[in-house]
Amino acid sequence: MIKGFKDFLMRGNVVELAVAVVMGAAMTALVGSFGDAFLNPLITLVTGGAEVGGEFTVNGVVFPYGVFLNGLLVFFLTAVAVYFVIVMPMNKLRERFAPPAEEVDEVHAQAEIEVLQEIRDLLREQSRS
């Protein structure tokens, strides 16, 4: 039972998923702090300064659209950072260490030929008996 669990954990997909979740969380925290430190003040400054920047009021209800803009920018920057820091390098590594497509096609073609020959032989045997 423990061996099966160990095999499950050591599969490439599970390990890659765990790394992706941890890296994504770290990247989100980093980009979120960038948004709080630089983007929020910039949005406030561009949209009217400290008094009314990044929000408007209707019938006494405050709508802080600067918070939404900050969240939108943080999401976009997180997606860009995860792509360029995690996805792109992983794809390059996968391409580097993956066997060439021709080699894979040859192996599959040879396996298909062997299976087809076995089927042919079995059909001949059945037709004789």
Side-chain angles (χ1 to χ4, degrees), residues 38-86:
F38 295 102
L39 295 180
N40 243 355
L42 185 63
I43 291 169
T44 301
L45 185 65
V46 169
T47 59
E51 292 286 320
V52 293
E55 66 184 35
F56 63 90
T57 306
V58 176
N59 291 334
V61 178
V62 177
F63 292 88
Y65 66 87
V67 174
F68 174 72
L69 289 176
N70 182 36
L72 193 64
L73 289 172
V74 165
F75 173 79
F76 177 74
L77 291 174
T78 302
V80 168
V82 166
Y83 177 77
F84 285 110
V85 172
I86 298 172

Side-chain angles (χ1 to χ4, degrees), residues 2 8 21 23-24 26 29-30 32 45 50 57 64 77 80 87 97-98 104 120 125:
I2 291 178
F8 170 74
V21 167
M23 291 298 294
L30 178 66
L45 185 65
T57 306
L77 291 174
V80 168
V87 174
F97 294 113
V104 172
R120 180 198 61 203
E125 242 181 69

